[in-house]
Amino acid sequence: MEQTGQIKIKNILSPSTNLKDRFIPDFTDLKKAVEDLKRMGYRIVLTQGVYDMLHEGHARYLEKALSYGDILIVGVDSDELTRSRKGPNRPVVPQDERLQMLAHLRHVSILTLREEKHGLGKLIEVVRPDVLITSSSTSDFGKKEIAVYKKICGQIVT
């Protein structure tokens, strides 16, 4: 099995819910891990969002997202980014707890954190997924943004 820095691909592929094996906050490390996974033939799916007040709808969304590929990467909005996008009373659940909860979902392969400084597209540019999954309820990611990111994503599914 290949190893990227301190990231072991075998740990990402294991059924473990241990966040330390699947949370990759550094985008340089994330890019290397994605490149290794692609080289191994895995189809990469990316989705991103707040995942505040995790519920069954989120779990079904993530299960459906994974059906488009082999590895699901979930970009979780930091508390700061969530406040700027959703208002001063959000998130209800702090980012560390949201990350822990998502790590327990078997459909989620890799987690990373989207910071406000990254903007909405940095993670997409880093991962360059085979499939980008977007939600129709995301008001700040519309037709204009989809047109921009179609150039670096194999497919975009809303």
Side-chain angles (χ1 to χ4, degrees), residues 4-69:
T4 302
Q6 296 298 323
I7 299 164
K8 293 183 180 175
I9 297 299
K10 70 176 183 164
N11 292 348
I12 291 170
L13 299 174
S14 81
S16 167
T17 60
N18 191 338
L19 188 62
K20 78 172 183 59
D21 291 329
R22 296 179 22 233
F23 175 55
I24 308 174
D26 181 87
F27 279 13
T28 301
D29 291 340
L30 178 62
K31 183 177 182 172
K32 289 175 187 170
V34 168
E35 288 169 352
D36 286 348
L37 288 161
K38 285 182 177 183
R39 204 170 24 257
M40 296 167 76
Y42 290 101
R43 188 169 163 85
I44 306 298
V45 180
L46 172 66
T47 194
Q48 46 195 8
V50 177
Y51 300 98
D52 203 5
M53 302 296 289
L54 191 62
H55 54 76
E56 184 180 4
H58 286 129
R60 289 179 190 265
Y61 174 85
L62 294 168
E63 180 179 21
K64 178 71 175 173
L66 180 60
S67 75
Y68 288 92

Side-chain angles (χ1 to χ4, degrees), residues 90-110:
R90 298 283 302 276
V92 174
V93 177
Q95 68 191 30
D96 291 345
E97 189 174 336
R98 290 182 282 132
L99 287 164
Q100 285 287 346
M101 291 303 300
L102 286 163
H104 289 283
L105 297 179
R106 67 181 177 165
H107 308 295
V108 177
S109 309
I110 297 173

